[in-house]
Amino acid sequence: MYEQDVVVYDSRRYVAPSEHTRPTTERPWIRWTLTIIAILFMLAVLVLPLVLVFTEAFRKGADTYFAAFQDPQSIAAIKLTLLVAAIAVPLNLVFGVMAAWCISKYEFPGKAFLTTLIDLPFSVSPVVSGMVYVLLFGLQGWFGPWLKAAHVEIIFAVPGIVLATIFVTFPFIARELIPLMQDQGTQDEEAAISLGANGWQTFWRVTLPNIKWGLLYGVLLCNARAMGEFGAVSVVSGHIRGKTNTMPLDIEILYNEYNFTAAFAIASLLAMLALVTLVIKTILEFRYGDELAGTRRH
């Protein structure tokens, strides 16, 4: 070891990294080539389609664009999408926090199985999950006759859309919180309980402040997926225009009817909601990257 490679700091010896400890040894032209290829790929696959959505939406002018949002069926689709998200996201927030709390704070039989169940919506096609709800709550399903006798509508109604959306979006909050809460451990909660705090006080004053940014991050992702879900909602909705069509379903119908301007106008609204989510997500990662680092371990 050469003398110039040793730096003395606070009475401790620190070995300065030399050229041989660089993480990569590729030549500059290789790094630049890979970087350019990655940028071009993202521009072609991500940015270009987004630009085309807004271009097609405004192709016939701003008046035609805003007229698309005056159609009663499109208004109903927008309202239904917001309603479903307003129901599904808070429920997933509650159940996601509960699941993350149980998995990260306690040891119990079946813990690994519960963790696997939380990941199930990631591996199952949304269309399959919608079919399951039809088999359970449809007229010919297991609970269909009883629901019909009780005059309760789930399939081809708002409750079915909410259930399908909850199933598809459930993992987002739980999977953001589980690694974060596991990384934090139980020391803070144990200290609060030893000082006389009850379970509710411990959660509100200790656990929640520690997970607030990870929780908000998960809520943003959950909300974005809830508003953009198509497959599961398409199966359970019945495509009743003005009643059970969400924005993605309304876009499909408008496009199939060759009403391209209206279809791209509604699509641009979904895209803008996604961009707002992306901006907030980026701000959170930039300002609170250290606190969110634990959520990147899954």
Side-chain angles (χ1 to χ4, degrees):
M1 181 182 298
Y2 295 97
E3 184 177 355
Q4 61 269 24
D5 287 339
V6 179
V7 179
V8 178
Y9 180 74
D10 286 344
S11 302
R12 290 178 295 181
R13 296 172 64 86
Y14 168 73
V15 179
S18 63
E19 291 185 359
H20 300 289
T21 61
R22 291 184 304 174
T24 58
T25 58
E26 291 85 358
R27 296 178 180 179
W29 70 268
I30 296 179
R31 294 198 299 269
W32 280 107
T33 301
L34 294 175
T35 302
I36 292 173
I37 291 175
I39 292 175
L40 292 177
F41 179 82
M42 288 188 292
L43 288 175
V45 176
L46 301 177
V47 178
L48 182 59
L50 190 63
V51 172
L52 290 177
V53 167
F54 286 95
T55 301
E56 292 295 328
F58 285 96
R59 180 178 293 277
K60 295 184 180 180
D63 293 338
T64 305
Y65 174 82
F66 289 107
F69 297 102
Q70 299 177 4
D71 179 56
Q73 295 176 351
S74 295
I75 294 175
I78 295 172
K79 290 181 178 179
L80 179 59
T81 302
L82 297 177
L83 174 64
V84 171
I87 297 174
V89 174
L91 289 176
N92 276 337
L93 187 152
V94 174
F95 293 123
V97 171
M98 292 172 59
W101 178 284
C102 291
I103 291 174
S104 60
K105 304 297 182 180
Y106 302 106
E107 294 293 335
F108 54 91
K111 179 177 178 178
F113 179 68
L114 178 59
T115 305
T116 303
L117 287 181
I118 292 176
D119 291 335
L120 185 64
F122 283 144
S123 57
V124 175
S125 169
V127 175
V128 174
S129 64
M131 294 283 295
V132 170
Y133 282 112
V134 172
L135 291 175
L136 289 175
F137 304 114
L139 290 178
Q140 307 301 322
W142 290 1
F143 304 106
W146 180 84
L147 292 172
K148 182 179 180 180
H151 303 287
V152 176
E153 293 184 357
I154 294 182
I155 301 301
F156 303 157
V158 174
I161 298 175
V162 172
L163 287 174
T165 304
I166 290 175
F167 176 86
V168 172
T169 59
F170 176 78
F172 287 93
I173 294 178
R175 291 305 297 167
E176 289 296 325
L177 293 181
I178 290 172
L180 179 61
M181 296 174 74
Q182 286 177 335
D183 183 65
Q184 292 173 351
T186 59
Q187 292 83 1
D188 292 342
E189 286 83 358
E190 292 173 354
I193 293 175
S194 67
L195 293 174
N198 58 36
W200 191 250
Q201 291 172 331
T202 301
F203 174 77
W204 279 104
R205 297 183 181 181
V206 178
T207 304
L208 188 60
N210 288 339
I211 65 171
K212 59 183 178 181
W213 299 118
L215 181 61
L216 180 58
Y217 192 90
V219 167
L220 288 173
L221 297 179
C222 179
N223 183 70
R225 179 61 188 272
M227 291 190 295
E229 175 55 32
F230 178 85
V233 172
S234 177
V235 175
V236 301
S237 68
H239 294 268
I240 304 175
R241 301 190 68 170
K243 292 184 178 181
T244 63
N245 271 351
T246 58
M247 286 167 53
L249 301 182
D250 190 48
I251 292 170
E252 181 196 30
I253 292 176
L254 292 172
Y255 189 85
N256 290 336
E257 293 178 347
Y258 302 101
N259 191 351
F260 299 127
T261 301
F264 281 106
I266 305 300
S268 69
L269 179 58
L270 268 180
M272 284 188 285
L273 293 173
L275 288 175
V276 170
T277 302
L278 180 63
V279 169
I280 299 175
K281 170 179 170 290
T282 304
I283 293 174
L284 286 176
E285 289 178 335
F286 178 76
R287 295 189 60 183
Y288 308 101
D290 293 339
E291 297 183 52
L292 291 170
T295 67
R296 298 292 163 268
R297 300 181 181 179
H298 61 279

